[in-house]
Amino acid sequence: MSLSRHLDAQEIVERCQDHPHRQYTQNLKAIRKAQHSTSSYNRDDDAVGIPKFEIPPDGIPSRAAAQLIRDQLSLDGNPLLNLASFVHTWMPEEAEKLIMENLNKNQVDQDEYPATQVIHNRCVSMLADLWNAPKSKDGTAVGTSTAGSSEAIMLGGLAMKKRWQEKRKAENKDYFHPNIVFGSNAQVALEKFARYWDVEARLVPVNKATKYVMKPEDAIPFIDENTIGVIVIFGSTYTGEFEDVEKMSTLLDELQERTGLDVPIHVDAASGGFVGPFAYPDLKWDFRVPRVVSINTSGHKFGLVYPGLGWVIWRNETCLHKDLVFELHYLGSVEYSYTLNFSKPAAPVIAQLFNFINLGKKGYTDIINKDFRHARVLARALESTYFEVLSNIHRPVGASGFIDKVIGEEHADKPASYAPGLPVVSFRFSEKVRTENPNLQQAWVQALLRARGWIVPNYNAPKGEEETEMLRVVVRETMSEDLTERLIVDILQVTESLLESASSLALQIPLKAASASHGEQEPARPTKENFGDGGEEKGQKGFARQC
């Protein structure tokens, strides 16, 4: 969640009195006990006078409290039409019952809930098997659930940092200036890791020529003896493109032969971890690649679980330094823990096992294939009209690269017959549309689609190509054929209406309309200038969200 600051109700009241839009709400004073209170439409007026930013002195009946909150939440977008997010938004009724039955279980209480711990262990084992973790003399794969991929990335990065530090100490070398290398297309969690754990983030520039992802050969010049590792992104949040894990490993092998530097790889497979194995089983990106020491993923993305679940798996126990692992002595037993928090809900882990045994590999494959099928239809429709499609999962691919040929019918529905990536469609106005309509702003498409219920974000490209804007649709399990067809029609209708009016001065869509933030959200944002200053500001380089 974002940071929020304490709100002074009276200050907001005074500010609202002078707000130009508030003049039309002054007659509500007679109904409300105070302007900083809330009310509902219940006849008993239970909620009248409840303050918004202070705990009320007296409570109200549970029915009225629930209705009050339900009314406010009705202003949220429809999760089904939220095409901005990679986060899963639907599970079967049986899974929801399991979640509700176990909502009060704390996963960390292993002695009280031993069956839950066994389920956790089974999920870790299943993921390690899915990602081809080897068994060796150094041990077997080890892993844990997390609150999401952000925590998982922190754990993976911290493990690489600790291994690098201990190696440098043993060699009697400086261990105070670690750095980590990843593309400028990285989600903000990667930069968070670097800043929070005092690691220099070396961002490899990306651009249209690199398909907006890090090219392995471009990363090599950023690596030196202080590099703790390279993070390779298996599924970019911008276009869904996969970075080449196997090639990165090969180039690092060559680097080690020349310089002696032994640099490991962590794979950020937040979304791709549940796409690669089922859509591209022959693609080597996981533990089949020797330099991969750890992989993270989000169970709540293409793992098809509700929000609140991530996973991180290490190749074997030697990848985790003993100083990072804590022993928990409780009720006569010993367990081992490596997490950033302690208490966490058990329900998401239980829901993950439900999916594993309910869907099996075939079920996951069928769902992923359907996602790609609808994504290809959307991409082709957009590319044949007013848009340039920046993602590539609809382009047939052969031994020599992208080719324009008709794929045989038996292969037409297989994602592996096309360029690899996530079921994501990123697009922008074609050069012809941009040239003929210089005043046309792409953000207007986002705003007008939002008016029809769709949430389709308009982003700036990563650092190095910030001037490029792109709209993005994430095709998830809930994106049916009918919804895909409706989306195509709405995008084209909105675009044609903009083209007809682009030269008219009457068309003035405020860009702020593209954001549906609640009016009370602005006062709750912290004041950036008030944050503590301990020296030179590092400055943020990337702004991409993981979800």
Side-chain angles (χ1 to χ4, degrees):
M1 293 294 289
S2 58
L3 285 173
S4 299
R5 68 186 183 100
H6 170 65
L7 296 175
D8 185 306
Q10 191 57 41
E11 177 187 338
I12 292 179
V13 171
E14 293 171 359
R15 189 185 307 169
C16 289
Q17 288 173 339
D18 297 327
H19 194 284
H21 298 162
R22 295 291 179 174
Q23 60 179 304
Y24 306 108
T25 66
Q26 297 304 307
N27 62 331
L28 293 176
K29 287 182 181 179
I31 306 173
R32 303 164 79 177
K33 292 184 178 179
Q35 276 191 295
H36 58 279
S37 64
T38 60
S39 63
S40 74
Y41 54 74
N42 289 316
R43 292 190 180 187
D44 54 11
D45 282 339
D46 284 326
V48 171
I50 294 297
K52 281 188 176 181
F53 307 113
E54 303 167 10
I55 298 178
D58 297 304
I60 60 176
S62 55
R63 174 177 168 272
Q67 185 62 54
L68 183 68
I69 296 172
R70 193 174 290 117
D71 291 345
Q72 185 167 358
L73 290 175
S74 66
L75 298 173
D76 274 345
N78 183 346
L80 183 69
L81 304 181
N82 179 10
L83 308 183
S85 179
F86 289 88
V87 175
H88 196 60
T89 57
W90 177 86
M91 291 194 76
E93 180 182 351
E94 293 77 11
E96 292 184 337
K97 286 181 179 178
L98 270 175
I99 290 171
M100 293 306 299
E101 290 166 4
N102 293 278
L103 205 57
N104 57 355
K105 287 185 180 178
N106 188 355
Q107 184 190 149
V108 78
D109 292 336
Q110 299 171 9
D111 286 278
E112 293 88 334
Y113 309 119
T116 298
Q117 180 60 30
V118 170
I119 287 175
H120 176 274
N121 298 345
R122 290 177 65 186
C123 287
V124 167
S125 182
M126 289 176 176
L127 280 172
D129 178 72
L130 185 67
W131 294 341
N132 298 290
K135 294 181 179 178
S136 69
K137 59 182 176 59
D138 295 322
T140 187
V142 60
T144 185
S145 64
T146 61
S149 272
S150 292
E151 182 190 0
I153 286 169
M154 300 282 174
L155 296 177
L158 191 56
M160 289 195 298
K161 179 186 178 184
K162 187 65 175 176
R163 290 181 69 204
W164 173 85
Q165 284 179 321
E166 295 304 316
K167 183 174 182 291
R168 299 284 288 182
K169 288 178 184 178
E171 296 171 349
N172 199 28
K173 294 180 180 178
D174 168 58
Y175 57 91
F176 297 105
H177 301 90
N179 67 67
I180 191 165
V181 175
F182 49 82
S184 62
N185 57 306
Q187 191 266 350
V188 73
L190 277 65
E191 195 173 344
K192 272 187 179 180
F193 159 74
R195 193 183 298 187
Y196 289 177
W197 304 106
D198 289 326
V199 177
E200 178 193 353
R202 294 187 172 179
L203 274 65
V204 180
V206 305
N207 52 50
K208 186 177 180 180
T210 68
K211 303 174 189 171
Y212 303 103
V213 295
M214 179 184 73
K215 290 297 181 185
E217 55 269 29
D218 294 339
I220 295 298
F222 289 83
I223 296 170
D224 60 23
E225 63 178 2
N226 292 319
T227 301
I228 67 172
V230 177
I231 298 182
V232 183
I233 302 171
F234 194 64
S236 172
T237 56
Y238 287 94
T239 61
E241 193 83 18
F242 292 157
E243 294 179 348
D244 194 334
V245 182
E246 188 174 25
K247 186 175 182 180
M248 187 77 253
S249 181
T250 300
L251 292 180
L252 289 173
D253 288 343
E254 295 172 0
L255 180 68
Q256 184 175 8
E257 290 178 6
R258 296 194 308 269
T259 66
L261 297 177
D262 185 8
V263 181
I265 293 174
H266 172 86
V267 179
D268 175 17
S271 294
F274 278 104
V275 174
F278 305 113
Y280 312 102
D282 297 326
L283 183 62
K284 292 183 180 179
W285 63 273
D286 50 20
F287 290 116
R288 287 172 291 181
V289 178
R291 284 194 179 270
V292 173
V293 295
S294 51
I295 303 171
N296 71 272
T297 195
S298 292
H300 60 226
K301 293 189 175 77
F302 291 100
L304 310 181
V305 174
Y306 284 139
L309 181 64
W311 298 97
V312 58
I313 308 291
W314 287 270
R315 177 179 288 272
N316 53 53
E317 288 96 337
T318 64
C319 297
L320 286 180
H321 192 275
K322 60 183 179 181
D323 286 350
L324 296 176
V325 180
F326 283 79
E327 290 187 12
L328 305 178
H329 295 244
Y330 192 62
L331 296 181
S333 68
V334 179
E335 299 293 344
Y336 299 94
S337 173
Y338 177 40
T339 61
L340 295 183
N341 67 334
F342 200 65
S343 294
K344 61 179 68 174
V349 175
I350 294 169
Q352 186 73 83
L353 183 65
F354 169 86
N355 276 344
F356 285 165
I357 60 180
N358 174 240
L359 293 172
K361 292 181 178 178
K362 183 180 185 303
Y364 269 102
T365 301
D366 290 343
I367 290 172
I368 291 296
N369 285 349
K370 183 202 70 171
D371 293 345
F372 277 106
R373 188 183 314 126
H374 295 160
R376 289 194 297 270
V377 169
L378 174 61
R380 289 167 183 156
L382 296 173
E383 199 165 52
S384 63
T385 54
Y386 308 105
F387 298 95
E388 170 191 358
V389 176
L390 303 174
S391 49
N392 294 301
I393 48 91
H394 63 298
R395 306 187 200 282
V397 64
S400 59
F402 294 151
I403 53 176
D404 295 319
K405 74 172 186 178
V406 178
I407 296 178
E409 188 174 337
E410 70 276 14
H411 299 296
D413 198 43
K414 294 182 178 179
S417 298
Y418 305 85
L422 302 175
V424 167
V425 180
S426 297
F427 56 102
R428 65 171 179 164
F429 286 137
S430 66
E431 185 176 356
K432 180 175 184 292
V433 169
R434 297 196 306 272
T435 302
E436 295 177 355
N437 303 274
N439 296 323
L440 186 62
Q441 298 194 48
Q442 198 166 273
W444 292 346
V445 176
Q446 173 185 327
L448 294 182
L449 286 175
R450 186 63 184 258
R452 298 186 180 211
W454 302 104
I455 303 176
V456 177
N458 184 63
Y459 289 119
N460 291 96
K463 182 178 175 61
E465 287 246 353
E466 298 95 332
E467 299 305 312
T468 299
E469 293 184 353
M470 59 180 75
L471 294 151
R472 188 194 71 189
V473 170
V474 180
V475 179
R476 304 191 306 272
E477 181 184 6
T478 49
M479 191 70 173
S480 65
E481 185 176 342
D482 287 343
L483 281 177
T484 304
E485 180 182 337
R486 184 68 255 173
L487 175 63
I488 293 170
V489 171
D490 282 349
I491 290 175
L492 296 182
Q493 285 182 347
V494 161
T495 302
E496 289 171 356
S497 70
L498 287 172
L499 292 174
E500 291 172 4
S501 311
S503 60
S504 172
L505 292 177
L507 180 64
Q508 295 293 334
I509 303 176
L511 293 185
K512 223 172 180 183
S515 171
S517 60
H518 196 282
E520 292 167 6
Q521 196 168 326
E522 189 68 33
R525 288 193 179 96
T527 303
K528 183 177 180 180
E529 291 72 22
N530 291 343
F531 288 134
D533 184 8
E536 182 182 354
E537 184 177 351
K538 293 184 178 180
Q540 186 172 337
K541 299 179 179 67
F543 298 89
R545 297 189 311 167
Q546 189 83 338
C547 30

